[in-house]
Amino acid sequence: MLAGSLIVTPVIIVIVRSFTTARLGAAVGFSLDNYMRVLHDPKILPMLQNSIVYAGGSALFGTLVGAMLAWIVARTNTPGKTLVELMPLYPILMPPVMKNIAWVLLLSPKSGILNNMLQQAFGIDHPVFNAFSMPAMIWVFGLTCVTLGYLFLLPVFLSFDPSLEESAYIAGSRPMRTLLRITFPLAIPAFLSALVLNFLRGLRSFETPVLQGSPGGIDVFVSKVYDSMSIDYNPGLATAYSAVLIVLSVAALILYVRTTRFSERYATITGKGYRVKVVDIGWWKYAAFVAVFVYFLIGIAIPFVVLIITSLIPYYDYETFMKFPTNVDLASYHRVMHHPSFVSGLYNSLALSIVIAVVTVFAGIVMAFTIYRTKVYGSKVFEFIGTIPLAFPPLVLSLGLIIAVIDSPFYNTLWALGAGLFIAYFPYALRNASGAIVNIHRELDEAAWVHGARWRHVFFRVTLPLLKPSIAGALFYIFIEALRNIDVAVLLVAPGMEYGPVTLFEYFRVGQWAEAAAGGVIYLVILIVTVTIAKFVFNVKFSL
Amino acid sequence: MSIVKVEGLYKTFADYRALDGVDFEFKHGVLSILGPSGCGKTTLLRCIAGLEVPDDGAIWIDGKVQTDIRKGILVPPYSREIGFVFQNYALWPHMTVYNNVAFGLKLRKVPDRDIRRRVLASLDLVGLPKLEDRYPSQLSGGQQQRVALARSLAMEPRLILLDEPLSNLDAKLREEMRVELKKLIKKVNISAIYVTHDQEEAFVISDYVIVMERGKILQYATPDDIYNWPAHQFVASFIGRSVLVDGQVMQATGDEMKVMIPDFNRAVLTCRRPNGVAVGETCQLVIRTSEVKLSSRPFEQTENVLQGVMTSRDYRGGLTDHRVQIGSREIVVTSHKLCPMISVEGDGNKVFLYVDKGAISVISDQPAVSAQAAAH
């Protein structure tokens, strides 16, 4: 009940507030002014176009690359596939904001490493790449979308019934033709699901629009919501932009549900035991290997190296960067570790992420248990409420939350930040617990009842112990996600109440790139340690 | 006092009626509930256990009311003090065999020493000594089944409910286990209700059998009575290998009658006469083909001999199925290797069938619950 109302409140506030004139704390009056302002904004159409081009372009690029990699891994004899098989770990090791920082360092028009290299090597007098352009935004966010495309399509190619292809061969179709006419068409539904979900993620994404779009004058709705709050400090306007964003998100979510249903009709898994057939693609396997290796370099190795080098030089500019390793210097680390807002932000993010992971996972289990294992009246409603936040961009949820707590003692406290993170990650915890509980055969509960167990016994002695593996997975996942969260925390932080990732984000915004890189590397080390513990001590499998 | 009494039980799932006015009373022993899948037998068992709440009706266990919908009484499953063996055993995979069996005893706060004694005794009883430290995944299907049984027996319940407990075992093991199960239940001297769709299993294990179809009890009687005196067309067709034919009573004297069968070229069969059946009435005859004798030469008897044409013989190892066309019907008569009954070469030959009076049951408008069973 508490969890439910916590989730519903910010949502209602965003919608109600979008119809009011008031600024924070002032009197409230019903008005359509905010919508009029949004609708009369001459930039509204370009903004809509930008949002769709950015989200759609990244989704298409990322999903296509992901699908190709999935096919290469699942069905071909390409050497070096292992590099791709580790892909589920990439986004964990390289959080979105780190990717943005690394690629801006590489592609920035003036000081970008790649631009300077090309200019010097070929004597070009203008920058080749522009990190603050739409193609660069699509490039960076598209790389983030690859993982989802890969993870959606891998099971399709792995569980593909070979007899579908074999019957095409017998009908006289050559391998290439079979691939184009049978294999790929059957993967289309899963591809569409991944595409739409990536599009939705693009609409909600925060880091790329704010760090790369805004400086280049490319506005999308998310960055406009952020600017309305951080520059204009006008929640009414922010909520009105949010409302447009919500409409877009909900439309994409509906589309996603539809494509998922469509893909169920296309099920190629027949339940018969068979082995996945690996196709010998001849000389193409070397081309595929190059593709895999290039992806590994671009997706993880180069940004990683750039970040680490930048953190180890006194300050960032191209010349200093190129002098590495003669100028190794831990000054950036020293500065961030003595900067109060980073230190307190690091502490807050660690403490809060642990608490949020535990609370969210436990609340998710209790709610899933109530929904699926008890006959509590109205429990199905909670299932719906629990999934609402998925339709709302995290930035919008934190906007609703900040308006809700502005006049309360919770304003500018870790409580508000904690509530925001709870709302953002509760749907994941609920879905994870629901999936796990549904998989526990009901007879195991019933056997406990007839042998004298009551609800609490069933929950603590049967359900909870059986959920252990998925609990460990969810705890680590939410801890990792919360630890690097920016889009929920960015509106809820205040001086004296910092959140580490937001501090890094601010370093970067004000041009302290070396500090941003040093702080980023500190977080990367924490993430690597966490993932290693999760994987080898708790045997957690990271999928998304 | 009855161990179980059920009155006016109704249960509907969405638009499917699982229980449609079920009444019965059962005193002691082993009762099987037999029927095809979807007949409501598992729902009935789950209602008795309290795992399912009926829409209407009342249930007593050992004379105490457990469910009475109209009075708003619903004793939860954990307070009914019964045993329940699930189809998939439902052993908790995260607990050892010992902890699975001890689970209910610990909840009842039985002293540790007694728990140990009772757990080991139950495991010994089901023939699984020294396996208490294993996990369910380390056991075979048959062993898991025994643990599930031990878990219920350790609670020393008055009544144990078994929901198709042998259906996940292979055929050979199933045959062994059903005999063992029967011995075990008799040994601990408790009552059991046993749900199954396997007629042979029901007959081997139980003292009484309830046959259900579409949420209703069609017949409640001893296995012998059900076999020899099926009270309903469905019961007859469900039990064993038999042929059901329509007939007309031509002559009725004392406890015998002659019935003309239009489908068998209007042949006449003599059989036992149920009470109140008169000349001219129509009835249905159930002929148990396993009791029919087959020969290529005419029998000495003149009564109850049918003539037919052998259409094919299907060899089944120790058994042979003979397909014989009589009039417009084909019946299958099975012979055993050791008593071949017939040595007809090829198909299309004329054969003779002798149907003993005892191999024929008559279905008329008898009450579903036969008098013998109701007396218990």
Side-chain angles (χ1 to χ4, degrees), chain B residues 106-167:
Chain B
K106 284 183 186 165
L107 288 179
R108 290 205 186 145
K109 307 232 176 334
V110 174
D112 280 352
R113 233 188 30 223
D114 290 353
I115 291 182
R116 182 150 192 91
R117 183 181 51 77
R118 278 164 74 172
V119 169
L120 297 182
S122 327
L123 286 172
D124 207 32
L125 194 65
V126 297
L128 283 183
K130 301 196 177 93
L131 287 182
E132 64 268 21
D133 293 331
R134 298 251 188 113
Y135 281 89
S137 58
Q138 298 168 308
L139 302 178
S140 69
Q143 287 173 325
Q144 290 185 22
Q145 209 277 328
R146 285 162 202 255
V147 175
L149 196 63
R151 182 171 67 179
S152 286
L153 293 177
M155 305 287 288
E156 294 169 7
R158 303 161 289 177
L159 171 69
I160 185 166
L161 308 177
L162 304 109
D163 184 9
E164 308 214 19
L166 305 183
S167 64

XYZ file of all heavy atoms in Angstrom, chain B residues 106-167:
494
model
N 8.052 -29.787 13.007
C 8.688 -28.613 13.619
C 7.655 -27.518 13.846
O 7.658 -26.849 14.878
C 9.797 -28.088 12.711
C 11.059 -28.921 12.739
C 12.122 -28.290 11.858
C 13.341 -29.189 11.758
N 14.221 -28.790 10.666
N 6.761 -27.332 12.860
C 5.739 -26.287 13.008
C 4.807 -26.594 14.175
O 4.276 -25.701 14.811
C 4.918 -26.151 11.723
C 5.650 -25.518 10.544
C 4.745 -25.460 9.327
C 6.119 -24.118 10.883
N 4.623 -27.887 14.429
C 3.749 -28.255 15.551
C 4.513 -28.281 16.859
O 3.987 -28.732 17.877
C 3.139 -29.634 15.299
C 2.140 -29.551 14.186
C 1.111 -30.628 14.266
N 0.303 -30.524 13.057
C -0.220 -31.526 12.409
N -0.051 -32.747 12.870
N -0.938 -31.339 11.338
N 5.761 -27.846 16.813
C 6.599 -27.739 18.008
C 6.734 -29.070 18.737
O 6.729 -29.155 19.958
C 6.029 -26.677 18.968
C 5.791 -25.316 18.319
C 6.457 -24.231 19.125
C 6.391 -22.839 18.553
N 6.250 -22.624 17.159
N 6.853 -30.127 17.968
C 7.129 -31.444 18.542
C 8.577 -31.398 19.053
O 9.441 -30.814 18.390
C 6.970 -32.530 17.438
C 7.388 -33.896 17.953
C 5.547 -32.546 16.914
N 8.880 -31.957 20.224
C 10.264 -31.937 20.718
C 11.223 -32.579 19.712
O 10.859 -33.546 19.044
C 10.203 -32.777 21.998
C 8.769 -32.803 22.374
C 7.954 -32.586 21.156
N 12.450 -32.025 19.649
C 13.432 -32.448 18.651
C 13.664 -33.961 18.625
O 13.787 -34.552 17.567
C 14.776 -31.740 18.900
C 14.750 -30.335 18.342
O 13.749 -30.013 17.644
O 15.693 -29.568 18.593
N 13.727 -34.551 19.844
C 14.011 -35.982 19.902
C 12.903 -36.791 19.243
O 13.145 -37.727 18.503
C 14.197 -36.401 21.361
C 15.499 -37.141 21.576
C 15.629 -37.736 22.961
N 14.364 -38.116 23.573
C 14.067 -37.879 24.845
N 14.934 -37.270 25.631
N 12.914 -38.271 25.355
N 11.652 -36.353 19.496
C 10.508 -37.055 18.892
C 10.490 -36.848 17.380
O 10.144 -37.766 16.630
C 9.200 -36.543 19.491
C 9.043 -36.991 20.932
O 9.891 -37.805 21.368
O 8.113 -36.515 21.600
N 10.869 -35.620 16.962
C 10.901 -35.356 15.518
C 11.836 -36.351 14.849
O 11.479 -37.010 13.879
C 11.372 -33.905 15.232
C 10.319 -32.902 15.695
C 11.641 -33.729 13.736
C 10.670 -31.455 15.423
N 13.037 -36.469 15.421
C 14.040 -37.352 14.830
C 13.512 -38.783 14.742
O 13.610 -39.426 13.699
C 15.324 -37.275 15.676
C 16.427 -38.100 15.126
C 17.826 -37.582 15.402
N 18.737 -38.327 14.561
C 19.111 -37.971 13.348
N 18.674 -36.844 12.837
N 19.898 -38.731 12.630
N 12.919 -39.213 15.829
C 12.404 -40.594 15.864
C 11.321 -40.786 14.796
O 11.343 -41.751 14.031
C 11.825 -40.870 17.265
C 11.328 -42.275 17.470
C 10.745 -42.467 18.865
N 9.743 -41.471 19.250
C 8.484 -41.474 18.806
N 8.073 -42.413 17.982
N 7.633 -40.535 19.186
N 10.401 -39.821 14.739
C 9.277 -39.991 13.807
C 9.717 -39.883 12.352
O 9.196 -40.585 11.485
C 8.186 -38.966 14.118
C 7.296 -39.435 15.274
C 6.468 -38.336 15.857
N 5.346 -37.945 15.001
C 4.404 -37.110 15.396
N 4.425 -36.588 16.611
N 3.430 -36.775 14.592
N 10.662 -38.961 12.079
C 11.141 -38.805 10.704
C 11.824 -40.089 10.244
O 11.527 -40.617 9.169
C 12.120 -37.606 10.591
C 12.827 -37.614 9.248
C 11.387 -36.300 10.800
N 12.720 -40.597 11.102
C 13.463 -41.799 10.712
C 12.519 -42.989 10.585
O 12.667 -43.817 9.683
C 14.591 -42.078 11.698
C 15.670 -40.982 11.752
C 16.780 -41.361 12.725
C 16.257 -40.711 10.364
N 11.532 -43.047 11.480
C 10.570 -44.156 11.407
C 9.772 -44.090 10.106
O 9.561 -45.116 9.445
C 9.636 -44.104 12.614
N 9.348 -42.892 9.715
C 8.561 -42.792 8.467
C 9.400 -43.133 7.260
O 8.931 -43.788 6.330
C 7.990 -41.391 8.219
O 7.685 -40.766 9.368
N 10.670 -42.676 7.272
C 11.532 -42.983 6.132
C 11.795 -44.489 6.056
O 11.859 -45.063 4.972
C 12.856 -42.212 6.232
C 12.749 -40.717 5.931
C 14.058 -40.006 6.241
C 12.367 -40.477 4.477
N 11.903 -45.093 7.219
C 12.100 -46.534 7.286
C 10.866 -47.248 6.739
O 10.960 -48.200 5.965
C 12.328 -46.906 8.747
C 13.156 -48.170 8.858
O 14.009 -48.364 7.960
O 12.935 -48.940 9.799
N 9.722 -46.736 7.127
C 8.438 -47.325 6.725
C 8.295 -47.338 5.208
O 7.828 -48.304 4.614
C 7.315 -46.492 7.357
C 5.923 -47.077 7.361
C 5.889 -48.328 8.221
C 4.925 -46.063 7.875
N 8.701 -46.243 4.558
C 8.546 -46.186 3.099
C 9.745 -46.808 2.386
O 9.841 -46.748 1.159
C 8.352 -44.738 2.595
C 7.088 -44.137 3.158
C 9.554 -43.868 2.937
N 10.654 -47.395 3.167
C 11.778 -48.102 2.561
C 12.911 -47.204 2.107
O 13.566 -47.479 1.110
N 13.112 -46.075 2.799
C 14.199 -45.166 2.415
C 15.106 -44.859 3.597
O 15.327 -43.697 3.924
C 13.633 -43.839 1.899
C 13.050 -43.761 0.509
C 12.638 -42.343 0.208
C 14.073 -44.221 -0.521
N 15.637 -45.866 4.272
C 16.504 -45.521 5.394
C 17.826 -44.946 4.881
O 18.222 -45.216 3.751
C 16.725 -46.865 6.089
C 16.524 -47.883 5.028
C 15.592 -47.297 4.023
N 18.456 -44.131 5.678
C 19.803 -43.587 5.411
C 19.872 -42.622 4.226
O 20.932 -42.378 3.681
C 20.816 -44.717 5.203
C 20.909 -45.634 6.415
C 22.166 -46.482 6.361
C 22.289 -47.329 7.608
N 21.720 -48.649 7.499
N 18.758 -42.103 3.818
C 18.811 -41.132 2.723
C 18.432 -39.746 3.221
O 18.211 -38.838 2.438
C 17.876 -41.535 1.582
C 18.313 -42.700 0.720
C 17.313 -42.945 -0.396
C 19.688 -42.432 0.117
N 18.364 -39.584 4.550
C 17.792 -38.345 5.086
C 18.615 -37.095 4.790
O 18.078 -35.997 4.839
C 17.521 -38.474 6.599
C 18.759 -38.672 7.458
C 19.080 -40.134 7.693
O 18.617 -40.975 6.910
O 19.809 -40.438 8.647
N 19.901 -37.259 4.459
C 20.720 -36.066 4.205
C 20.756 -35.651 2.743
O 21.361 -34.649 2.394
C 22.164 -36.303 4.692
C 22.213 -36.435 6.202
O 21.338 -35.816 6.856
O 23.068 -37.168 6.720
N 20.087 -36.423 1.903
C 20.093 -36.073 0.487
C 19.100 -34.948 0.220
O 18.166 -34.719 0.984
C 19.656 -37.288 -0.352
C 20.577 -38.456 -0.206
C 21.374 -38.658 -1.489
N 22.119 -39.894 -1.414
C 21.859 -40.934 -2.191
N 20.880 -40.885 -3.071
N 22.593 -42.022 -2.083
N 19.307 -34.294 -0.933
C 18.332 -33.301 -1.397
C 17.422 -33.966 -2.429
O 17.833 -34.927 -3.089
C 19.052 -32.095 -2.010
C 19.591 -31.163 -0.954
C 20.863 -31.337 -0.432
C 18.790 -30.133 -0.454
C 21.350 -30.498 0.561
C 19.266 -29.290 0.535
C 20.544 -29.475 1.048
O 20.993 -28.644 2.029
N 16.197 -33.454 -2.575
C 15.258 -34.103 -3.503
C 15.841 -34.311 -4.901
O 15.592 -35.327 -5.539
C 14.082 -33.127 -3.553
C 14.092 -32.462 -2.226
C 15.539 -32.366 -1.832
N 16.674 -33.349 -5.362
C 17.209 -33.483 -6.716
C 18.173 -34.663 -6.847
O 18.514 -35.067 -7.946
C 17.912 -32.185 -7.112
O 18.942 -31.912 -6.188
N 18.616 -35.186 -5.707
C 19.553 -36.314 -5.760
C 18.832 -37.661 -5.696
O 19.468 -38.695 -5.563
C 20.551 -36.221 -4.595
C 21.410 -34.960 -4.650
C 22.180 -34.746 -3.362
O 21.600 -34.754 -2.277
N 23.474 -34.524 -3.478
N 17.492 -37.608 -5.753
C 16.718 -38.844 -5.633
C 16.049 -39.186 -6.960
O 15.803 -38.307 -7.787
C 15.625 -38.675 -4.572
C 16.056 -38.305 -3.154
C 14.825 -38.150 -2.282
C 16.979 -39.375 -2.585
N 15.755 -40.473 -7.144
C 15.016 -40.885 -8.338
C 13.533 -40.544 -8.137
O 13.101 -40.213 -7.032
C 15.165 -42.382 -8.538
O 14.457 -43.051 -7.511
N 12.764 -40.648 -9.217
C 11.330 -40.349 -9.144
C 10.627 -41.186 -8.093
O 9.848 -40.688 -7.287
N 10.947 -42.473 -8.068
C 10.310 -43.368 -7.116
C 10.677 -43.011 -5.685
O 9.833 -43.037 -4.782
N 11.945 -42.624 -5.489
C 12.378 -42.245 -4.137
C 11.706 -40.945 -3.698
O 11.288 -40.808 -2.549
C 13.904 -42.088 -4.119
C 14.634 -43.411 -4.199
C 16.137 -43.230 -4.342
O 16.592 -42.285 -4.988
N 16.896 -44.125 -3.755
N 11.578 -40.008 -4.631
C 10.914 -38.738 -4.292
C 9.476 -39.014 -3.864
O 8.963 -38.415 -2.926
C 10.910 -37.810 -5.497
C 12.285 -37.275 -5.831
C 12.250 -36.249 -6.954
O 11.228 -35.631 -7.228
N 13.363 -36.074 -7.610
N 8.856 -39.936 -4.600
C 7.479 -40.283 -4.297
C 7.371 -40.841 -2.870
O 6.466 -40.499 -2.129
C 7.045 -41.317 -5.334
C 5.584 -41.294 -5.650
C 4.835 -42.075 -4.646
O 5.361 -43.063 -4.115
N 3.636 -41.631 -4.362
N 8.329 -41.658 -2.490
C 8.326 -42.234 -1.138
C 8.557 -41.158 -0.072
O 7.960 -41.208 1.003
C 9.425 -43.283 -1.000
C 9.110 -44.579 -1.698
C 10.382 -45.377 -1.886
N 10.240 -46.346 -2.959
C 10.093 -47.642 -2.750
N 10.077 -48.113 -1.530
N 9.961 -48.472 -3.758
N 9.433 -40.194 -0.393
C 9.670 -39.116 0.574
C 8.380 -38.323 0.786
O 8.011 -37.982 1.912
C 10.810 -38.175 0.101
C 10.959 -36.996 1.060
C 12.113 -38.921 -0.003
N 7.692 -38.041 -0.335
C 6.433 -37.294 -0.223
C 5.455 -38.037 0.673
O 4.747 -37.447 1.494
C 5.833 -37.074 -1.609
N 5.447 -39.352 0.530
C 4.557 -40.170 1.348
C 5.003 -40.148 2.811
O 4.184 -39.976 3.721
C 4.590 -41.604 0.792
C 3.487 -42.524 1.233
C 2.143 -42.007 0.744
C 3.724 -43.927 0.680
N 6.318 -40.278 3.017
C 6.854 -40.260 4.382
C 6.537 -38.932 5.058
O 6.222 -38.880 6.250
C 8.360 -40.489 4.347
N 6.615 -37.846 4.296
C 6.347 -36.526 4.843
C 4.911 -36.451 5.384
O 4.655 -35.861 6.426
C 6.549 -35.474 3.740
C 6.355 -34.064 4.187
C 6.781 -33.085 3.114
N 5.905 -33.139 1.948
C 6.065 -32.362 0.882
N 7.067 -31.519 0.802
N 5.239 -32.455 -0.141
N 3.995 -37.072 4.653
C 2.613 -37.066 5.125
C 2.409 -38.019 6.286
O 1.707 -37.710 7.240
C 1.671 -37.430 3.985
O 1.572 -36.338 3.104
N 3.050 -39.191 6.198
C 2.841 -40.192 7.253
C 3.437 -39.757 8.587
O 2.917 -40.087 9.646
C 3.449 -41.538 6.827
C 2.755 -42.212 5.642
C 3.478 -43.496 5.260
C 1.288 -42.513 5.969
N 4.536 -38.993 8.529
C 5.191 -38.556 9.766
C 4.260 -37.715 10.633
O 4.415 -37.652 11.846
C 6.444 -37.760 9.426
N 3.291 -37.083 9.983
C 2.354 -36.235 10.731
C 1.301 -37.083 11.454
O 0.479 -36.563 12.187
C 1.639 -35.275 9.775
C 2.562 -34.419 8.931
S 3.337 -33.135 9.871
C 1.960 -32.036 10.140
N 1.316 -38.387 11.183
C 0.323 -39.309 11.754
C -1.089 -38.781 11.580
O -1.821 -38.577 12.558
C 0.655 -39.599 13.222
C 1.961 -40.366 13.351
C 2.485 -40.462 14.776
O 1.764 -40.045 15.706
O 3.613 -40.959 14.949
N -1.487 -38.521 10.340
C -2.813 -37.950 10.112
C -3.909 -39.017 10.198
O -3.610 -40.218 10.134
C -2.701 -37.408 8.688
C -1.729 -38.323 8.012
C -0.792 -38.818 9.076
N -5.149 -38.545 10.340
C -6.261 -39.489 10.352
C -6.602 -39.911 8.936
O -7.164 -40.954 8.683
C -7.506 -38.812 10.942
C -7.316 -38.273 12.315
C -8.374 -37.239 12.647
N -8.164 -35.997 11.901
C -8.964 -34.949 11.962
N -10.054 -34.988 12.697
N -8.714 -33.860 11.278
N -6.259 -38.994 8.015
C -6.669 -39.206 6.630
C -5.537 -38.728 5.743
O -4.924 -37.684 6.001
C -7.924 -38.361 6.360
C -8.408 -38.257 4.921
C -8.958 -39.596 4.452
C -9.491 -37.191 4.801
N -5.259 -39.496 4.708
C -4.239 -39.054 3.767
C -4.878 -38.962 2.373
O -5.645 -39.840 1.985
C -3.011 -39.996 3.819
C -1.906 -39.474 2.923
C -3.342 -41.404 3.454
C -0.576 -40.160 3.189
N -4.601 -37.844 1.718
C -5.168 -37.633 0.386
C -4.040 -37.782 -0.628
O -2.959 -37.230 -0.445
C -5.783 -36.233 0.280
C -6.776 -35.854 1.377
C -7.249 -34.413 1.199
C -7.978 -36.787 1.361
N -4.296 -38.524 -1.683
C -3.249 -38.754 -2.685
C -3.762 -38.364 -4.066
O -4.768 -38.904 -4.535
C -2.815 -40.223 -2.684
C -2.324 -40.764 -1.343
C -3.330 -41.742 -0.768
C -0.985 -41.436 -1.466
N -3.060 -37.420 -4.688
C -3.508 -36.914 -5.986
C -2.645 -37.519 -7.093
O -1.550 -37.037 -7.352
C -3.399 -35.379 -5.998
C -3.941 -34.788 -7.278
O -4.544 -35.541 -8.069
O -3.768 -33.569 -7.479
N -3.133 -38.564 -7.715
C -2.402 -39.279 -8.778
C -0.913 -39.430 -8.438
O -0.049 -39.030 -9.210
C -2.551 -38.543 -10.117
C -3.995 -38.265 -10.457
C -4.285 -38.330 -11.947
O -3.482 -38.935 -12.672
O -5.310 -37.796 -12.361
N -0.604 -40.005 -7.295
C 0.798 -39.986 -6.847
C 1.726 -40.833 -7.711
O 2.926 -40.650 -7.670
C 0.729 -40.555 -5.432
C -0.494 -41.389 -5.432
C -1.462 -40.757 -6.367
N 1.167 -41.771 -8.479
C 2.056 -42.667 -9.232
C 2.153 -42.278 -10.701
O 2.860 -42.912 -11.471
C 1.560 -44.109 -9.125
C 1.376 -44.661 -7.712
C 0.958 -46.122 -7.781
C 2.660 -44.525 -6.913
N 1.450 -41.222 -11.094
C 1.337 -40.955 -12.534
C 2.640 -40.502 -13.171
O 2.780 -40.558 -14.376
C 0.248 -39.920 -12.793
O 0.615 -38.700 -12.215
